[in-house]
């Protein structure tokens, strides 16, 4: 069964460093998303991406964040200068043409900022 | 952001019985509702969804009911199995970007 994959599973970084979180969405999907979950809090939407551009972004997704689909399979989230409060589980998701009714999530990357 | 609320932090059910998980929402613009199951250290797993134009959707042991006038939906699991023990999230979407707004989750424990 096709699935969303994410690497790395755990990333530890120093405050102020840049990190890139990688995702391989399901191959025939057209919509891509990043969400995050800070420990003990709700899953929060960060950004959605369709047709090589951002469809929507949340207030969390400020200038420190960027997304890219560098080739036909990968979807990346970059945080330019990490802060302590960026420590969270980051989930990538993808959906097909319909988009609204089914989003499939990856296993997540745990980001720890020291 | 309290647009989607799951007011029960946890639920305990005997194996074989029905589990009912509840969710309330405030935004009448939501047009799709989804339920996800999540185990620790894993991503949310999609279970079932319902469009706002329907009041019921069924898939195997899982049924979702939507009451638009009450802005309330529920997930029924029948019969409950020990493997169903997980955190269940209600989520809703609307708009072009398809973003999902999640509830806080309900921990379901199915006792054998």
């Amino acid at each position: 069964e096709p699935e969303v994959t994410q690497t790395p599973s755990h990333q530890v970084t120093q405050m102020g460093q840049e990190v890139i979180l990688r995702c391989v969405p399901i191959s025939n999907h057209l919509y891509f998303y990043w969400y995050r979950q800070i420990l003990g809090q709700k899953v929060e939407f960060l950004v959605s991406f369709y047709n090589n551009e951002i469809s929507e972004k949340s207030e969390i997704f400020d200038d420190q964040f960027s997304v890219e689909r560098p080739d036909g399979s990968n979807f990346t989230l970059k945080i330019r200068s990490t802060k302590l409060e960026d420590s969270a589980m980051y989930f990538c998701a993808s959906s097909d043409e319909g988009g609204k009714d089914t989003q499939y999530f990856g296993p997540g990357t745990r980001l720890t900022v020291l | 952001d309290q647009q989607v609320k799951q007011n029960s932090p946890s639920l305990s059910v005997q194996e074989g019985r029905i589990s009912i998980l509840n969710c309330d929402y405030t935004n009448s613009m939501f047009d799709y509702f989804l339920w996800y199951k999540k185990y620790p250290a894993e991503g949310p797993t999609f279970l079932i969804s319902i469009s706002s134009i329907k009041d019921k959707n069924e898939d195997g042991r899982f049924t979702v009911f939507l009451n638009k006038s009450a802005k309330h939906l529920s997930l029924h699991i029948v019969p409950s199995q020990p493997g169903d023990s997980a955190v269940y999230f209600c989520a809703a979407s609307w708009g072009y970007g398809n973003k999902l707004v999640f509830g806080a989750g309900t921990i379901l424990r199915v006792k054998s």
Side-chain angles (χ1 to χ4, degrees):
Chain A
E1 183 176 322
E3 59 183 17
V4 177
T5 59
Q6 290 185 243
T7 55
S9 57
H10 191 187
Q11 174 89 49
V12 181
T13 189
Q14 295 291 325
M15 189 170 55
Q17 294 296 304
E18 174 184 287
V19 294
I20 297 176
L21 309 183
R22 303 180 192 280
C23 169
V24 178
I26 294 173
S27 62
N28 61 339
H29 283 186
L30 301 175
Y31 296 80
F32 313 111
Y33 314 85
W34 284 100
Y35 293 82
R36 77 174 186 189
Q37 186 179 27
I38 294 171
L39 188 64
Q41 297 186 22
K42 291 183 180 183
V43 176
E44 302 173 286
F45 169 79
L46 293 178
V47 66
S48 59
F49 191 86
Y50 171 71
N51 200 25
N52 281 319
E53 60 183 24
I54 290 174
S55 312
E56 188 174 359
K57 59 184 181 180
S58 71
E59 292 176 357
I60 304 166
F61 195 90
D62 60 21
D63 291 345
Q64 293 301 311
F65 291 85
S66 62
V67 288
E68 193 177 33
R69 188 154 162 81
D71 53 42
S73 60
N74 291 285
F75 181 51
T76 61
L77 174 70
K78 181 193 289 187
I79 309 175
R80 288 190 184 81
S81 178
T82 51
K83 308 184 190 72
L84 295 176
E85 54 265 36
D86 292 329
S87 295
M89 281 291 289
Y90 287 80
F91 297 107
C92 173
S94 69
S95 59
D96 63 12
E97 182 67 37
K100 281 187 173 297
D101 59 343
T102 315
Q103 290 183 23
Y104 294 93
F105 282 73
T109 293
R110 177 170 298 284
L111 176 64
T112 301
V113 183
L114 303 176
Chain B
D1 183 350
Q2 295 292 314
Q3 294 186 79
V4 177
K5 289 183 273 192
Q6 294 177 256
N7 292 318
S8 298
S10 65
L11 173 69
S12 188
V13 170
Q14 198 67 33
E15 180 180 7
R17 307 295 283 266
I18 185 171
S19 296
I20 300 177
L21 298 132
N22 294 303
C23 179
D24 298 295
Y25 62 95
T26 56
N27 188 346
S28 56
M29 299 293 290
F30 287 140
D31 53 4
Y32 268 95
F33 303 90
L34 301 83
W35 284 95
Y36 285 85
K37 177 170 81 171
K38 187 180 181 301
Y39 296 114
E42 294 185 13
T45 300
F46 171 76
L47 285 174
I48 191 169
S49 64
I50 187 167
S51 162
S52 61
I53 63 172
K54 296 187 175 180
D55 54 20
K56 178 181 174 181
N57 189 25
E58 193 171 353
D59 184 0
R61 296 186 298 116
F62 303 95
T63 303
V64 57
F65 296 92
L66 176 62
N67 182 335
K68 281 189 70 176
S69 60
K71 293 191 174 71
H72 176 83
L73 64 154
S74 60
L75 174 68
H76 292 211
I77 307 173
V78 182
S80 301
Q81 300 171 353
D84 295 330
S85 298
V87 181
Y88 287 77
F89 291 98
C90 169
S93 74
W94 70 284
Y96 174 73
N98 298 340
K99 76 173 188 184
L100 294 180
V101 179
F102 280 83
T106 297
I107 300 170
L108 174 65
R109 295 187 186 91
V110 180
K111 298 176 289 186
S112 56

